Amino acid sequence: MDRHEVEAHRVCTRFHAAIELIGTRWTGAILRAVFTGHHRYALIKAAVPGISDTMLAQRLRTLEEEGLLEKRVLTATPLQVEYHLTAKSQDLEPVLDAVITWSHKWIPLPS
Protein backbone atom coordinates (compact mmCIF):
# COMPACT_ATOMS: atom_id res chain seq x y z
CA MET A 1 0.00 0.00 0.00
CA ASP A 2 1.29 3.44 -0.83
CA ARG A 3 1.02 6.43 1.51
CA HIS A 4 -2.23 7.72 -0.05
CA GLU A 5 -3.93 4.32 0.28
CA VAL A 6 -2.88 4.06 3.92
CA GLU A 7 -4.23 7.54 4.68
CA ALA A 8 -7.49 6.83 2.83
CA HIS A 9 -7.88 3.63 4.84
CA ARG A 10 -7.35 5.53 8.12
CA VAL A 11 -9.96 8.13 7.16
CA CYS A 12 -12.41 5.44 6.09
CA THR A 13 -11.86 3.50 9.33
CA ARG A 14 -12.50 6.57 11.50
CA PHE A 15 -15.51 7.62 9.42
CA HIS A 16 -17.01 4.15 9.60
CA ALA A 17 -16.52 3.94 13.37
CA ALA A 18 -18.13 7.38 13.84
CA ILE A 19 -21.13 6.53 11.65
CA GLU A 20 -21.60 3.21 13.46
CA LEU A 21 -21.49 4.96 16.83
CA ILE A 22 -23.85 7.86 16.18
CA GLY A 23 -25.94 6.02 13.60
CA THR A 24 -26.89 3.12 15.83
CA ARG A 25 -30.65 2.90 16.18
CA TRP A 26 -32.00 5.24 18.89
CA THR A 27 -28.62 6.88 19.59
CA GLY A 28 -29.26 10.07 17.63
CA ALA A 29 -32.70 10.48 19.20
CA ILE A 30 -31.29 9.97 22.69
CA LEU A 31 -28.52 12.49 22.11
CA ARG A 32 -31.04 14.95 20.67
CA ALA A 33 -33.19 14.54 23.79
CA VAL A 34 -30.24 15.32 26.05
CA PHE A 35 -29.25 18.27 23.82
CA THR A 36 -32.75 19.68 24.33
CA GLY A 37 -32.59 19.50 28.12
CA HIS A 38 -33.93 16.04 28.93
CA HIS A 39 -31.45 14.77 31.51
CA ARG A 40 -33.41 12.24 33.54
CA TYR A 41 -34.17 8.72 32.33
CA ALA A 42 -37.96 9.18 32.30
CA LEU A 43 -37.68 12.45 30.35
CA ILE A 44 -35.36 10.90 27.79
CA LYS A 45 -37.70 7.91 27.43
CA ALA A 46 -40.69 10.23 26.93
CA ALA A 47 -38.76 12.18 24.27
CA VAL A 48 -37.90 9.02 22.29
CA PRO A 49 -41.21 7.35 21.35
CA GLY A 50 -41.08 3.60 20.90
CA ILE A 51 -37.85 2.88 22.76
CA SER A 52 -38.01 0.10 25.34
CA ASP A 53 -36.55 0.40 28.84
CA THR A 54 -33.98 -2.28 28.02
CA MET A 55 -32.84 -0.54 24.84
CA LEU A 56 -32.69 2.89 26.49
CA ALA A 57 -30.62 1.53 29.38
CA GLN A 58 -28.29 -0.22 26.93
CA ARG A 59 -27.84 2.86 24.74
CA LEU A 60 -27.25 5.15 27.73
CA ARG A 61 -24.61 2.75 29.03
CA THR A 62 -22.90 2.63 25.61
CA LEU A 63 -22.97 6.42 25.25
CA GLU A 64 -21.43 6.72 28.71
CA GLU A 65 -18.74 4.13 27.89
CA GLU A 66 -17.94 5.99 24.64
CA GLY A 67 -17.55 9.28 26.51
CA LEU A 68 -20.58 10.94 24.92
CA LEU A 69 -22.67 11.14 28.09
CA GLU A 70 -21.76 11.64 31.71
CA LYS A 71 -23.93 9.89 34.28
CA ARG A 72 -24.45 11.94 37.44
CA VAL A 73 -25.93 10.38 40.56
CA LEU A 74 -27.57 13.08 42.66
CA THR A 75 -27.60 12.74 46.41
CA ALA A 76 -31.30 13.18 46.87
CA THR A 77 -34.07 11.10 48.33
CA PRO A 78 -35.08 9.19 46.36
CA LEU A 79 -31.83 8.70 44.47
CA GLN A 80 -31.78 10.55 41.15
CA VAL A 81 -29.66 9.96 38.07
CA GLU A 82 -29.05 12.47 35.29
CA TYR A 83 -27.25 12.21 31.98
CA HIS A 84 -25.27 15.18 30.67
CA LEU A 85 -23.35 15.95 27.53
CA THR A 86 -19.57 15.80 27.51
CA ALA A 87 -17.25 17.97 25.42
CA LYS A 88 -17.07 15.06 22.97
CA SER A 89 -20.84 14.97 22.48
CA GLN A 90 -21.19 18.75 22.42
CA ASP A 91 -18.95 18.72 19.35
CA LEU A 92 -21.67 16.63 17.65
CA GLU A 93 -24.28 19.42 17.83
CA PRO A 94 -23.57 20.85 14.35
CA VAL A 95 -23.52 17.30 12.96
CA LEU A 96 -26.93 16.49 14.44
CA ASP A 97 -28.28 19.87 13.32
CA ALA A 98 -27.06 19.16 9.78
CA VAL A 99 -28.78 15.76 9.79
CA ILE A 100 -32.00 17.38 11.01
CA THR A 101 -31.83 19.99 8.23
CA TRP A 102 -31.10 17.31 5.63
CA SER A 103 -33.93 15.09 6.88
CA HIS A 104 -36.45 17.94 6.70
CA LYS A 105 -35.48 18.45 3.08
CA TRP A 106 -35.23 14.85 1.89
CA ILE A 107 -37.09 12.45 4.20
CA PRO A 108 -40.88 12.46 3.86
CA LEU A 109 -43.06 12.01 6.91
CA PRO A 110 -44.80 8.63 7.05
CA SER A 111 -48.32 8.70 5.65
Side-chain angles (χ1 to χ4, degrees):
M1 253 186 213
D2 71 13
R3 187 174 64 83
H4 295 291
E5 288 175 320
V6 169
E7 186 58 30
H9 177 71
R10 286 183 182 150
V11 170
C12 184
T13 300
R14 283 183 172 166
F15 177 81
H16 181 75
I19 290 297
E20 289 292 316
L21 175 60
I22 63 174
T24 301
R25 187 166 189 201
W26 306 111
T27 298
I30 292 167
L31 287 172
R32 192 71 195 144
V34 178
F35 267 106
T36 57
H38 300 86
H39 299 288
R40 308 246 334 258
Y41 184 94
L43 295 174
I44 297 168
K45 188 169 190 314
V48 183
I51 192 167
S52 69
D53 284 324
T54 302
M55 186 56 63
L56 178 55
Q58 181 183 19
R59 290 293 184 264
L60 288 170
R61 191 170 30 258
T62 299
L63 290 168
E64 186 182 2
E65 289 168 358
E66 292 291 338
L68 292 171
L69 290 180
E70 175 189 351
K71 180 179 177 178
R72 297 181 190 168
V73 179
L74 307 177
T75 54
T77 305
L79 189 68
Q80 295 179 4
V81 175
E82 292 184 347
Y83 295 90
H84 291 269
L85 301 169
T86 63
K88 185 177 181 178
S89 60
Q90 288 173 355
D91 281 351
L92 280 173
E93 187 169 26
V95 175
L96 295 177
D97 287 343
V99 171
I100 289 167
T101 299
W102 180 85
S103 71
H104 284 228
K105 182 175 180 179
W106 294 105
I107 305 297
L109 291 173
S111 307

